[in-house]
Amino acid sequence: MKTPDVFTFSIVTPQEARARVAGLLDRAFKVSAYQDHFPHIFLPTSSARIVLALNGKNEVIGTCAIDTELWPEPRMAQGACVGSVAVDPHVQGRGVGRQMLRWTLDQLSLQAQHDFVYLFSDRPAFYESLGFCLAGTETLNILDASKIGPSAPSLGMELMKPVPAASLDCEQRLSLWSALEAGRHRGESCSSWLKFNAVFEIPDLLVTSLHDSSGRWHAGAFIGKGIDFQGVMHTFFARSESVLVEFLSRFAAEFRQAAAQLLLATGVWSPSLGSLLQERERRPLFMIRGLRQSTAEVISEVESQYLYPRALFSS
């Protein structure tokens, strides 16, 4: 009988893990410089922690990141987000990922600091076998150009051509931060200024906005975040639904070529934008597992829009 492979696990800081997991992440995700697309995880100031799976030679063969989000309403709730789950291709299929995630869940339960753990994946069967339940899907849409005619600029409002997010100066970033805070939905988690600033280190990330003559941002969106979401317009924000509709309508009218190439992950805004959207793709995405309370109770709160773990790519 074949002896099962035995692995050991540890939790380290992002700085301790950075050099050890760089090659593994690139091999596992078949990309180059994976870490550069998720700088908020690996900054020295990051609140994330990195799980390492080690073989008998103390080589890193698997990894995942754990980060924390807080929701102040309707009660103080703390969720652990698990991401960047990777296993070296040379040892995939030997149970490394399953053992690593089980160990991670055990550690989160022992720490008794989190109400639930969640992640985003299009592989529900694997995570359901670990006790997760599917709590949401990702819907990608395109703007239906046939329903959008010429759009005259609103009084005092200017549409900004998409520009690299890294090119925004401090004042513009503060305006963007203010708009995001003002547009927060009741169920969104507390934003982190450090995470917000880390976003501007992501390669090829664009940003566009609708703002008035004083520079106050009334609506906007990021475009093309990360390896998995190139070409997706995401993280819509607006001070009202009507402003958001005007923003997207004008964007499609004034930048038709760019709009035709974009997918939209509209999230909670989908009902408001229904008449402008044409659904392109729907896939499993949001998996959740309760820790301090049952998974069913957590999902009930999610469905009531009291809690909704928000990723930067959704809206």
Side-chain angles (χ1 to χ4, degrees), residues 218-261:
H218 291 261
F222 289 109
I223 302 174
K225 170 188 174 290
I227 293 168
D228 296 331
F229 301 98
Q230 293 293 343
V232 177
M233 177 183 273
H234 56 87
T235 316
F236 299 102
F237 54 90
R239 296 184 184 275
S240 70
E241 292 184 2
S242 60
V243 170
L244 179 66
V245 171
E246 178 178 337
F247 161 65
L248 287 177
S249 297
R250 286 187 57 188
F251 183 87
E254 297 182 32
F255 305 116
R256 285 193 178 274
Q257 183 175 359
Q261 298 171 351

Side-chain angles (χ1 to χ4, degrees), residues 88-110:
D88 193 301
H90 293 102
V91 294
Q92 288 178 3
R94 290 166 53 183
V96 178
R98 188 177 300 276
Q99 288 189 46
M100 177 177 66
L101 286 168
R102 281 178 175 161
W103 184 87
T104 300
L105 293 170
D106 287 343
Q107 298 307 303
L108 291 172
S109 296
L110 290 170

Side-chain angles (χ1 to χ4, degrees), residues 144 164 174 233 238 242 271 276 279 295 307-308 313:
D144 190 342
L174 286 172
M233 177 183 273
S242 60
L276 300 178
E279 187 171 312
T295 300
L307 296 173
Y308 183 63
F313 59 81

